[in-house]
Structure formats: C-alpha cells, structure tokens
Amino acid sequence: MGSRDLSLYIGPIEMGSQIEASEGTTELVVRETTTAGVRYLDDTERSPDCIVTDHDPPERDCFELLDAVSPEIPVVLAPNGGNSSVATRGLRAGVATYLDPTTLDDGPAALAAAVDRLVDEPPQQAHEAGSGDERIERFTNIVSHELRSPIQTAKSGIDLAKTQCESRYLDNVEETIDQMDELIDNLLDDIKHGETTVEIEAVDLAVVVEEAWPEQTTATLSVESELPTIEAEHTRLRQLLDNLFRNSVEHGSTSSQRENRADDSIQHGGDGITVRVGRIDPPERSDHTDSIGLYIGDDGSGIDPDHREEVFEYGYSGSTDGTGFGLAIVDEIVDAFDWEIDVTESPNGGARFELQNIKEI
Amino acid sequence: MTDEGRKTVLIVDDEEMVAESYELYLQDEYDTIVELSGGAALMELDQREVDLVLIDRRMPGMSGDVVIDHIDKWEMDFQVIMLTAVDPDIDIIDMPCDGYLTKPVSEDELADAVERAFLIDHYEDLIAEYNQLSEKYEVLTSQFSARELDTKKRFTDLEARMEEMEADIADTADRFSDSKLSDAFRQLH
C-alpha cells in the first residue's frame, strides 16, 4: 500500500487538530506560523500535495507564503474571518480555493474535504505558464471584479432609493453609472483583444449626436448640416462623440482665458461655448467618394499647435483635473473604425476635430 | 407570506444592498428569500423548498461555486443562476448552473434570466413526461393492431395527451426570447 497524501496546515494548532480529526484522507502536518511553514517547506524532502493556510498567523501573512510556495502545490486560503478583499487578493495570488471556516457549520470538515478534492484533482496552475495572454486574462478578471462589483452596488442603491423618493438627480447618477459600466466594458475589451473589436452596423449619426450631447451644460450644440446614416458601432461612436463633446464643453475656454493658452493647451471653461457639428463632403476629384467627413468644432481657446499631436496620447492632459484618457480613447475608436482624425483650429478660434473616411450608407 | 402557486427564488449575495435590489426586481412575480452567505444559503435550502437559486459567484467564506457543487451533489431539483462580476471563462462548462449573468445586471436582465430559467425547467418537465408517454405509445402500438387500439378509450386519451403536449412543447420553445435557443429546441423536438 502506498503512503498517504501529505498536506500542510499553517495556522492555529487547534484548527489544525480539528481538520486532522475530520474525515480527510491525507496526512496533515501542522505549523502555527508562516515562518515555520516556510521553514518546513525548505527543509522537507517530501513536498506536501496541498497547503492550507490561515491569512494572518503570527509574524507573516499568507501572501508571503504564497510567494515562497511552488506553483504546482495547490493552496487553500482559509482565513479566520475573511472578507472579499482578502478573497480577491488571494485568488489574484494564485490560491486554488478560498474558504473561511468561520462562516461554515463545520469549517474543519469543509477544509478537509477541500484538501481531498484538490489532492485528487489538482487544478491547472494559472501561473504555471505565465504567458502574456494568461497574465492579461488574470488582470482583466481582477479589474472587472473590482470595478463591476461597486457599479452593481451603486445601481442597486439607486434602484432602492428610487422606491423611497423621486429625484432627477437619481436619474442623472444612474445614467452616469451606466456610462461608466459601458466604458469599463470597452476598456476591458480593448485590453483583452489587444485592439478594439467592433461590430459595424448602420448608425443614424444625428441620433447619436443628440444622445452624446451632455444634458447638464450651458454650452450650445449647433448641428450645421443634415447628418447621414453611417457605418459604425453605436456604443463606441457614442463614446467617441461623448468624449469629444466633453472635451469641448469642459476643457474649452471663453475668450477671456486665451492669454493662458501657452501654459494650458486645453483650457477649462464651459459657459458660453458653442460646439458646431457638421458634415464634410469629399473633394470632387477624391477617390473616396463614398466616404464623408465630420467636424466637431468649438469656439473656446483651442489647442496649441505644438500640442496637437500629443492630445491623443494616453495620460496627456492639458489640465490638472483631466484624466488624459478621453482623447486617447477617441483615437483608439477612430483606429478601430478605420477612420482618420485630425485636430485643427476652428473658424471661430477654438479647436476643431475632423473625422475622415466615414462610410455613408 | 407565500402565495400558493408562486415560485420561490432564493437570492444569495454577500452585499446586502445588492441582494435587496434583486429582491425588489423579482418580488412582484415571485416569492423571495435573501441570504447573505453561502453557508446560510445551504442551511436555508436544507429547510425550505425553493424553485430557483440566484447566487453570487464570489463571496467571502463559502463561494457560490462551492454552494452549487453542494447543490449538485445533493441532487437538489431547482434552477440555479450564477451572478458574477467576472467575465465567464471556459470553466463555466462544468459548472452545474442553468444560467450565468455578468454584473452589473439591470432589472430587465435579471427578470428575463429568471423567466428563462423557469421556462427551461418547464420545457424539461414536458419533454420528460412526453418521453414517458412516447415509450408507452411505442409498446402499445407494437403489441396491438391499430383497429384494436382505436377501440380503447385510454389509448385515444393517450394520443390526445401526446398531441396536446406536442403543442405545449412547441409553444414553450417559441417563448424563448433568444431565437437560436428557440430553433435549437424546435429541432430537438
């Protein structure tokens, strides 16, 4: 008969004894501290088939242990009173199973069962290959959880609050949360697929312009020509226009601020700004007669010619409260649609963004 | 208070506000029970009959995965919808659940998913019953001549019931909002 499987438990001796007393089929070595556990792993000639660790034994915590453990050994993180942050961090660090024994009727038995299961069927090691794709996948999983969970909480709170009172502010917040959700989806999509994948459809440009125009603004939208139906993806087109409008409305400036132009290429402001949107027809002798252009121009202080290339770079912002994401995302979407974008000065002195190579339907 | 004939949904999410909002979305159509941990959900399932479990995948303590593994091992007969903030991975193939939703979910998305799970449950019940009747039909038609069977009322009742069920099965398949699913069920049928 062969030897029994071996597991290592790191945490309070009493819990270790209880796990051992449960009907687990593996032999259990118990060490009270992470330091002692790591020492055991260094000294032993027989590596355990599974490790169970409390999160916070004296001296060092489980995350230090995880750094020291070979990725082939499955680890059960069993914190004595955990929370979602510890769970997420543990899973991020590669633990195979997370179980908080204090939330279970019979925690030690559940841990013994988890050990048996992992010893019988060791999980595929996520960090074994460590390829770029796997790292990206793990990263996006963590990011999506950390961002989408609070969005769900916020949406839930709004819906519950609406049962108790009516307020247009709740509607505004809800709309903002929905936009954040959409943005996160798009960003995660970008990260996962390396490039933006789009589903081209027929989109009524006039409708999307209306949708994307911010509600709470004193700025004026002027649509200067009839806007056609074009080939694009509705969600991303709305995001593109939303970002361009936001740039004009929030970062456009009144003429009184023009003297600051040299220090701040995209000025702050808002009041009195007019944003003009219109179609650009192709030149008569152009090869691209089936495509049109679109301009979005404002009468703010414009963008300094020296900074026009940089405004589409991630992280670049002409203001202290800008994220430097807005126009970079615009550029990504333009690439994904196979369009072109250029920034110039509008006839009214502000910034003018020109989108080209748009297919009209 | 439980209305007779209404289905019961057990909602499991460690975020109390989120669980309460799901209850809000569903309470007009279903009876609801809320539990805030996997362990408490299993205790509830041990004591009460539910028709559907709506469970968060990632919870501190006992995760949704562990809970639905228990449900699977205990061979409990109800629908399970997993909710998670993480995009589904290939591992959901092995997951013993009938639906999978990615957070955040809206009221409509949640209500649709629950309705769809119940429709699938109903469809499976219909198919199981139809197969039973069909077996009996095959045995009887091989044993007796058509003329003999035509004189037996219980056999004609069986034929009528099978026809009725065929219509019900086709109608149920049509009610799936996803046309691919409708087509698939119609082909199966």
Side-chain angles (χ1 to χ4, degrees), chain B residues 46-66:
Chain B
D46 197 35
Q47 290 161 16
R48 292 177 66 162
E49 285 208 356
V50 305
D51 300 293
L52 185 142
V53 176
L54 192 64
I55 186 163
D56 186 23
R57 186 170 185 186
R58 195 170 287 182
M59 292 185 289
M62 189 183 284
S63 70
D65 290 27
V66 174

Side-chain angles (χ1 to χ4, degrees), chain B residues 155-174:
Chain B
F155 182 78
T156 51
D157 284 349
L158 172 70
E159 281 187 315
R161 174 68 185 140
M162 285 176 73
E163 270 180 37
E164 200 178 289
M165 290 194 71
E166 281 169 16
D168 201 357
I169 288 166
D171 179 54
T172 306
D174 282 341

Side-chain angles (χ1 to χ4, degrees), chain A residues 118-138:
Chain A
L118 286 169
V119 169
D120 286 347
E121 291 177 41
Q124 287 189 334
Q125 290 303 318
H127 45 288
E128 145 181 296
S131 72
D133 286 351
E134 285 167 349
R135 278 203 303 277
I136 287 169
E137 194 178 324
R138 285 207 303 281

Side-chain angles (χ1 to χ4, degrees), chain A residues 83 91 98-100 103-105 137 141 144-145 148-149 151-153 155-157 159-160 163 181 192, chain B residues 14-15 17-18 20-22 24-25 39 43 58-62 66 73 85-87 89 102-105:
Chain A
N83 54 47
L91 292 166
Y98 175 90
L99 273 177
D100 176 353
T103 64
L104 307 174
D105 283 345
E137 194 178 324
N141 280 345
S144 65
H145 184 263
R148 282 179 176 148
S149 289
I151 283 183
Q152 175 71 71
T153 308
K155 275 173 86 82
S156 294
D159 286 341
L160 291 168
T163 64
D181 183 28
K192 268 188 198 169
Chain B
D14 60 308
E15 289 265 2
M17 193 156 64
V18 172
E20 277 182 29
S21 71
Y22 295 161
L24 175 72
Y25 301 156
M43 285 171 67
R58 195 170 287 182
M59 292 185 289
M62 189 183 284
V66 174
K73 278 179 193 145
V86 177
D87 284 337
D89 198 353
T102 306
K103 289 182 178 184
V105 289

Side-chain angles (χ1 to χ4, degrees), chain A residues 79-360:
Chain A
N80 189 14
N83 54 47
S84 61
S85 165
V86 172
T88 304
R89 205 176 148 203
L91 292 166
R92 184 188 311 170
V95 304
T97 298
Y98 175 90
L99 273 177
D100 176 353
T102 61
T103 64
L104 307 174
D105 283 345
D106 189 348
L111 287 173
V115 169
D116 280 350
R117 197 169 57 241
L118 286 169
V119 169
D120 286 347
E121 291 177 41
Q124 287 189 334
Q125 290 303 318
H127 45 288
E128 145 181 296
S131 72
D133 286 351
E134 285 167 349
R135 278 203 303 277
I136 287 169
E137 194 178 324
R138 285 207 303 281
F139 173 76
T140 53
N141 280 345
I142 291 157
V143 168
S144 65
H145 184 263
E146 296 297 312
L147 295 177
R148 282 179 176 148
S149 289
I151 283 183
Q152 175 71 71
T153 308
K155 275 173 86 82
S156 294
I158 296 275
D159 286 341
L160 291 168
K162 280 182 170 177
T163 64
Q164 295 176 355
C165 64
E166 273 185 32
S167 167
R168 67 187 169 88
Y169 298 118
L170 287 176
D171 294 332
N172 292 344
V173 174
E174 185 176 32
E175 199 174 306
T176 306
I177 291 168
D178 286 343
Q179 280 175 3
M180 281 172 63
D181 183 28
E182 229 174 85
L183 184 64
I184 290 165
D185 281 347
N186 289 336
L187 285 172
L188 288 173
D189 198 28
D190 280 359
I191 294 167
K192 268 188 198 169
H193 299 293
E195 57 185 21
T196 314
T197 51
V198 291
E199 289 174 21
I200 295 295
E201 57 195 329
V203 180
D204 187 332
L205 190 51
V207 171
V208 188
V209 165
E210 279 291 320
E211 286 175 353
W213 182 251
E215 275 184 19
Q216 308 294 320
T217 179
T218 52
T220 306
L221 172 67
S222 171
V223 179
E224 300 189 316
S225 55
E226 195 173 329
L227 299 176
T229 297
I230 59 167
E231 284 183 4
E233 186 188 270
H234 181 273
T235 309
R236 285 186 172 82
L237 178 60
R238 180 172 170 177
Q239 190 183 341
L240 178 153
L241 291 170
D242 188 87
N243 289 10
L244 287 177
F245 288 155
R246 197 183 298 268
N247 183 68
S248 291
V249 170
E250 293 179 5
H251 305 298
S253 80
T254 56
S255 55
S256 63
Q257 291 171 301
R258 287 183 184 206
E259 59 271 20
N260 295 328
R261 182 182 294 187
D263 301 325
D264 195 356
S265 59
I266 305 176
Q267 302 289 344
H268 286 268
D271 283 353
I273 296 279
T274 297
V275 178
R276 292 178 169 80
V277 177
R279 170 189 176 122
I280 306 169
D281 285 315
E284 279 180 16
R285 295 172 65 187
S286 165
D287 292 337
H288 304 287
T289 50
D290 60 338
S291 64
I292 60 154
L294 181 77
Y295 65 83
I296 296 106
D298 64 60
D299 53 4
S301 66
I303 298 172
D304 190 312
D306 292 342
H307 294 287
R308 284 179 188 163
E309 295 275 314
E310 297 163 38
V311 294
F312 295 112
E313 290 173 11
Y314 269 105
Y316 177 84
S317 177
S319 64
T320 51
D321 60 350
T323 62
F325 270 32
L327 293 179
I329 290 170
V330 165
D331 195 42
E332 291 256 344
I333 296 169
V334 163
D335 274 351
F337 285 170
D338 205 18
W339 293 353
E340 288 159 16
I341 190 166
D342 199 12
V343 57
T344 62
E345 186 172 340
S346 79
N348 311 87
R352 173 172 156 126
F353 292 90
E354 291 188 357
L355 296 160
Q356 294 289 357
N357 204 26
I358 300 171
K359 298 279 184 298
E360 184 177 4

Side-chain angles (χ1 to χ4, degrees), chain A residues 46-118:
Chain A
R46 185 181 165 202
S47 290
D49 301 291
C50 182
I51 297 172
V52 181
T53 178
D54 192 352
H55 166 50
D56 198 21
E59 298 169 45
R60 297 157 77 182
D61 69 23
C62 69
F63 301 112
E64 291 175 71
L65 171 86
L66 286 165
D67 286 341
V69 169
S70 159
E72 286 83 35
I73 304 173
V75 176
V76 178
L77 176 53
N80 189 14
N83 54 47
S84 61
S85 165
V86 172
T88 304
R89 205 176 148 203
L91 292 166
R92 184 188 311 170
V95 304
T97 298
Y98 175 90
L99 273 177
D100 176 353
T102 61
T103 64
L104 307 174
D105 283 345
D106 189 348
L111 287 173
V115 169
D116 280 350
R117 197 169 57 241
L118 286 169

Side-chain angles (χ1 to χ4, degrees), chain B:
Chain B
M1 199 176 73
T2 302
D3 288 350
E4 203 152 321
R6 270 166 65 104
K7 305 261 190 196
T8 303
V9 178
L10 171 62
I11 297 161
V12 192
D13 198 303
D14 60 308
E15 289 265 2
E16 191 170 0
M17 193 156 64
V18 172
E20 277 182 29
S21 71
Y22 295 161
E23 186 171 38
L24 175 72
Y25 301 156
L26 299 174
Q27 64 191 7
D28 285 349
E29 296 290 327
Y30 311 102
D31 290 324
T32 52
I33 308 164
V34 168
E35 290 298 348
L36 303 178
S37 73
L42 286 182
M43 285 171 67
E44 190 69 47
L45 289 169
D46 197 35
Q47 290 161 16
R48 292 177 66 162
E49 285 208 356
V50 305
D51 300 293
L52 185 142
V53 176
L54 192 64
I55 186 163
D56 186 23
R57 186 170 185 186
R58 195 170 287 182
M59 292 185 289
M62 189 183 284
S63 70
D65 290 27
V66 174
V67 174
I68 67 168
D69 273 348
H70 280 298
I71 290 171
D72 191 42
K73 278 179 193 145
W74 295 346
E75 297 182 347
M76 291 176 148
D77 183 27
F78 43 70
Q79 302 295 102
V80 177
I81 296 176
M82 184 75 101
L83 274 149
T84 174
V86 177
D87 284 337
D89 198 353
I90 199 78
D91 65 348
I92 67 164
I93 290 173
D94 301 322
M95 213 175 267
C97 64
D98 306 282
Y100 195 97
L101 287 175
T102 306
K103 289 182 178 184
V105 289
S106 66
E107 180 172 354
D108 286 347
E109 284 167 339
L110 194 70
D112 283 351
V114 170
E115 191 188 342
R116 187 180 159 109
F118 281 136
L119 260 183
I120 291 174
D121 194 31
H122 178 58
Y123 186 85
E124 286 169 352
D125 287 347
L126 284 174
I127 292 290
E129 191 188 339
Y130 184 82
N131 283 342
Q132 276 186 353
L133 298 181
S134 186
E135 286 280 325
K136 290 170 187 169
Y137 180 88
E138 292 294 328
V139 170
L140 290 172
T141 49
S142 65
Q143 194 71 23
F144 299 100
S145 70
R147 199 190 304 170
E148 282 175 306
L149 287 171
D150 281 347
T151 62
K152 295 184 190 299
K153 183 172 182 312
R154 293 191 67 189
F155 182 78
T156 51
D157 284 349
L158 172 70
E159 281 187 315
R161 174 68 185 140
M162 285 176 73
E163 270 180 37
E164 200 178 289
M165 290 194 71
E166 281 169 16
D168 201 357
I169 288 166
D171 179 54
T172 306
D174 282 341
R175 284 167 63 200
F176 287 104
S177 51
D178 182 337
S179 62
K180 277 185 188 166
L181 200 57
S182 290
D183 291 347
F185 280 140
R186 240 180 263 113
Q187 278 166 18
L188 274 177
H189 168 58

